Every structure is written in C-alpha cells, then in structure tokens.
Amino acid sequence: MIALSLAEIATVVGGQTYDIPDPQVRVTGPVVIDSRKVETGSLFAAFVGERVDGHDYAADVVAKGAVAVLASRPVGVPAVVVVDVQAALGALARHVVARLGATLVALTGSAGKTSTKDLIAQVLQRKAPTVFTPGSLNNEIGLPLTALSAGDETRFLVLEMGARGIGHIAYLTDLTPPKVGVVLNVGTAHIGEFGGREQIAQAKGELVEALPADGTAILNADDPLVKAMASRTKAKVLFFGESAEADVRAENVRLTENGRPAFSLRTPSGCSEVTLRLYGEHHVSNALAAAAVAHDLGMAVEEIALALSEAGTLSRWRMEVTERPDGVTIVNDAYNANPESMRAALRALVAMGKGRRTWAVLGQMAELGDEALAEHDAVGRLAVRLNVSKLVAVGGREASWLQLGAYNEGSWGEESVHVSDAQAAVDLLRSELREGDVVLVKASRSVGLESVAQALLDDVQGGADAR
C-alpha cells in the first residue's frame, strides 16, 4: 500500500484514534484481515465472523509488527475505530486508488473470470508494474484488499468483480472506478439467486455503466446478452470473439495433440500466432478478452501473442494438469463449477484424452435453483455424448442427477457410477485406474473434490510432473 499516516487513515474512514501515541506514524505494509499474514508496518482490519472475532487478535498482531488495528471498538492497542469495518476498508481503497493514478481494469462474467484475470495480468506485466486480484477474491472485502496492495510504482490494477445480486458490481465499481471494463459472458452461475439470465445480464452490465466517457468497454461479440451491453455505456466499445465482426478475434482455432488451443490472433493493428499453455478450447475466449485489453492499452499484436503463449495458470485448482510417474494424468479443476465451465472442462478432457481412457469425477454445481435438476442431467448426458469413458458422480442428490442423466443417455448403463463421497471416489479410482488414463475432477467449491485429486497424486511415490 502507499504509505499513509494513521491520522490520514482516520480522516478517510471517518474513524477515531485510540491508544495511538503518534498519529503521524505511517502504515507502510499490507492491509490484512488474517492475523497470520501480518507484516511489519501492516494495518490489521478486524472483522467479526461466525466463529472468529478479529478483535481478539489485536494485541497479537501489534506484537508482530502491525502499526494499528482497524476496529469497531477499542482494543487496548493502537486502533482506528469505526462504525463499520467493511465500509471503512472500502473507503480506504477508494482513497488509495484515487491517489495511485494507475489504470484500473475490471472484469466480470459468469465463467472464466479468474483465468482471464490471470491472463490479463501476465500480459500487462510485460508493459508496466501490475497488481491483480489473487485467486478469486472478488467480493466486498477481497476487492478492497487487492486495491490496497498497490503501491506507488503500480501502473495497472486488474480487479475481478463477482456478483450475487443486482447492485453488487455497482458497489464495487464505486469503490474502485474502472477505466477499462471487460464482460466475458452471461451464463447460469448463481442463477438460483438471480432468478434468470436476463437478471444476471442486468447485474454484469453494471460494470460498463460505471465506465467514463474516455474509458473502454470490452465485450464478447459471441454472447448476445453481453454484446447488447454496448448500449448501456458511454465509453468506447471494443468487441472480442470468434465472430467476424469482433475487433479482436481468433481465426483458425485448433487444439494441439495435448489439448492446448492454438489460433491466429487478429487485432486492428495486425495478426500473430498464439499457442496457449492452458488446456481447453474455452480459453480462446479468455485469451481474446486479455488481448483486447492489451491492445486498448497500446501493446503490439506480436507482444500480446508472445505474452499469451507464455502465460500459465496462476490460481490453484483450475485445470491444473499433473502427470503421475505411472502415466496417469490428473486434471484438477475442482475450485468451482457451473454448467458452462462443466461443459468446457468435459470438452477439454476429451481433447486431452484422445486414444486414452477418460474419467470425469464430478460433483454438485451449487446455486442453480429451479434449474438444478435439468442442468445436472444435461451435464451427465453430455459426458456420454462426448464419449467420456466413465463418469463418477460424487455426493448426494445433485450428483445422482448427474449419474441419472448419463445412465439415460448411455447404451449399457456402464458409462457412469454414483458414489457417496470423495473417499468412495478415491477408492474406486485406485482400484480401476491404469497407465495412460486421464482423470478430470470438478465440482462447486463447497464439495471439496480437490481432495480426490490430491489423494490420487499422493498415491504415487517419487513425485509428479506438473505440465
């Protein structure tokens, strides 16, 4: 964070100082909410959670080097006390972003946000110092923390924005006003909370409505609901996609023999070849969004193509591909799941597994509301249509719907199996895997299926080769 005195912080957040001998002492380290991440010069924001009260750690964090605590009550050590810690954190982020002068790039979408954010960051880092959202910390707390991690040298700030309802993205853009806004897609993630895709589009479009007249809205020309958002912004519009009308588009899209996408990247300034290190054709759209951002910010097409071709996965459990010494390949995509990302992951599995046995170990897709039965059934059926060798549906009711869809689509009833939990899935795979098999593991985060991938990797002595 840029250095700020406690007196200035108190003014910005509308707080009162307690037990602070010198209000001019400055916060020079990161703002954190986890006492284990405190460094010398930190500001610790004390949140009250369901099981833990951050205020209880006040003395400990100051002993570790924190300058003060941002708190909702006096804690007996240096503190800036406010009515609402979350609101104060947001106000502080707004102040720091205004001071920075960095170009703020924000992105949202139903699927692919984190992968695209990682691509954008890796491309822009070639141009200037860039700070970006770690993992998927894209909510009312994670986003301000990311913004506050930027320093005086930061030139690009790349922020992922999530939403679980109308007004959420508008709130986030008020905290961190973007100059460039990217909308990837409108799918069915969280449709149970929103009520329909049109409502999701309404929420995602809040990002382009927040852009200034001299900003840029970067929109997916291949998604009609996103394309229509062009009418909701006063900013310049730049389209990306495989459509011929896209300003930044992919031509001659193909998959390499190991399932990595390759294509010709065409921008208004020229054309260059890209071969991604990521797996699955769905990453073409993500890469085009990143290329559109880079083009808008002045990078040459050859530089963009090289950066995309060298970019890797920065966030864990997202199409992490590891080959065991015995020739079994584990694809850990267990961080989250929705119908769109499930379909993309299954297609990637099939592309990677040509000539090999393929296993799809799948669990519940959460927050689908009334669409849950139909969507789980459809994913199960797709696994069979794509000729996945075997679907292993893990968990309760929703997993049974996955398996039932596959069973009804299949010919012999042997294309799928339903198991009760992660351990049962591990036991099954341990008994049946053989050399050359490819195993995809994917479910919503709450299911915790990453434990299946980890167990299969831990089984093999001598380590594994992450590709």
Side-chain angles (χ1 to χ4, degrees):
M1 188 175 90
I2 60 176
L4 297 174
S5 71
L6 291 179
E8 184 176 1
I9 290 173
T11 299
V12 168
V13 303
Q16 292 183 295
T17 58
Y18 284 81
D19 302 306
I20 297 176
D22 180 9
Q24 296 308 312
V25 68
R26 298 196 301 171
V27 172
T28 57
V31 179
V32 298
I33 61 172
D34 185 337
S35 63
R36 295 167 296 184
K37 296 181 179 180
V38 166
E39 301 174 13
T40 300
S42 287
L43 177 67
F44 176 71
F47 281 87
V48 179
E50 292 183 5
R51 293 183 296 273
V52 176
D53 185 345
H55 295 79
D56 295 340
Y57 296 87
D60 179 56
V61 298
V62 170
K64 289 179 179 178
V67 174
V69 178
L70 183 63
S72 57
R73 62 178 185 264
V75 286
V77 294
V80 176
V81 176
V82 295
V83 173
D84 185 329
V85 173
Q86 179 179 305
L89 194 67
L92 188 58
R94 187 187 299 113
H95 177 75
V96 166
V97 166
R99 285 268 301 268
L100 279 175
T103 298
L104 199 157
V105 179
L107 73 154
T108 193
S110 295
K113 292 188 295 296
T114 300
S115 297
T116 305
K117 174 264 303 176
D118 289 347
L119 287 173
I120 293 171
Q122 290 176 85
V123 174
L124 295 184
Q125 282 174 334
R126 290 176 173 259
K127 184 176 177 67
T130 302
V131 168
F132 56 98
T133 304
S136 57
L137 297 178
N138 58 21
N139 62 13
E140 296 86 349
I141 297 174
L143 182 136
L145 289 175
T146 301
L148 290 168
S149 69
D152 291 320
E153 75 287 353
T154 302
R155 293 296 170 265
F156 298 115
L157 183 56
V158 182
L159 297 175
E160 178 182 330
M161 294 185 174
R164 292 181 178 272
I166 302 295
H168 288 189
I169 289 177
Y171 173 79
L172 296 178
T173 58
D174 180 61
L175 300 184
T176 53
K179 181 71 174 293
V180 179
V182 185
V183 183
L184 300 175
N185 44 57
V186 173
T188 52
H190 311 305
I191 196 168
E193 297 184 0
F194 281 96
R197 293 183 73 234
E198 291 72 19
Q199 289 84 353
I200 294 173
Q202 181 63 35
K204 301 298 184 185
E206 292 169 3
L207 175 54
V208 300
E209 291 175 345
L211 296 171
D214 62 346
T216 304
I218 295 177
L219 303 176
N220 186 349
D222 300 332
D223 186 320
L225 289 175
V226 175
K227 186 179 178 183
M229 293 177 191
S231 64
R232 294 171 59 183
T233 184
K234 54 184 177 290
K236 176 182 70 176
V237 175
L238 192 65
F239 288 113
F240 70 90
E242 295 185 45
S243 166
E245 60 189 298
D247 303 289
V248 175
R249 62 184 183 272
E251 300 173 346
N252 188 28
V253 177
R254 61 226 181 255
L255 290 176
T256 66
E257 61 181 15
N258 57 4
R260 288 170 168 160
F263 59 94
S264 301
L265 171 64
R266 185 168 296 280
T267 75
S269 63
C271 186
S272 192
E273 295 301 311
V274 174
T275 300
L276 296 175
R277 292 173 56 199
L278 307 176
Y279 293 86
E281 191 172 341
H282 59 291
H283 282 299
V284 173
S285 182
N286 299 339
L288 291 174
V293 172
H295 169 76
D296 184 63
L297 295 176
M299 293 181 67
V301 65
E302 295 81 8
E303 187 179 12
I304 297 169
L306 178 61
L308 287 173
S309 296
E310 294 181 351
T313 301
L314 301 182
S315 302
R316 65 179 182 170
W317 305 338
R318 292 171 174 86
M319 293 300 289
E320 285 183 356
V321 179
T322 308
E323 185 168 338
R324 302 193 325 188
D326 63 356
V328 172
T329 300
I330 308 298
V331 184
N332 187 350
D333 196 30
Y335 189 85
N336 215 337
N338 57 57
E340 290 77 24
S341 66
M342 276 285 203
R343 289 191 284 269
L346 285 172
R347 291 189 175 98
L349 169 66
V350 171
M352 295 169 61
K354 286 181 180 176
R356 306 162 71 181
R357 286 203 312 174
T358 52
W359 297 75
V361 183
L362 308 181
Q364 176 193 8
M365 298 177 286
E367 300 173 351
L368 292 179
D370 293 341
E371 301 296 319
L373 173 56
E375 293 291 0
H376 284 86
D377 178 84
V379 168
R381 291 176 182 274
L382 179 63
V384 174
R385 291 172 187 165
L386 292 174
N387 291 320
V388 172
S389 302
K390 193 146 194 174
L391 165 67
V392 181
V394 185
R397 181 182 61 173
E398 289 81 0
S400 72
W401 295 338
L402 284 166
Q403 192 272 331
L404 184 61
Y407 179 86
N408 289 334
E409 188 70 22
S411 299
W412 311 107
E414 298 176 357
E415 296 90 347
S416 61
V417 63
H418 178 217
V419 298
S420 59
D421 54 28
Q423 186 57 54
V426 171
D427 292 341
L428 171 68
L429 291 162
R430 281 173 174 163
S431 67
E432 297 195 19
L433 284 180
R434 63 176 184 243
E435 181 179 352
D437 287 359
V438 184
V439 183
L440 166 70
V441 181
K442 188 169 181 64
S444 282
R445 183 73 191 90
S446 57
V447 181
L449 279 197
E450 69 277 0
S451 63
V452 174
Q454 191 58 54
L456 295 177
L457 293 176
D458 290 343
D459 281 345
V460 181
Q461 299 298 318
D465 175 30
R467 295 194 293 173

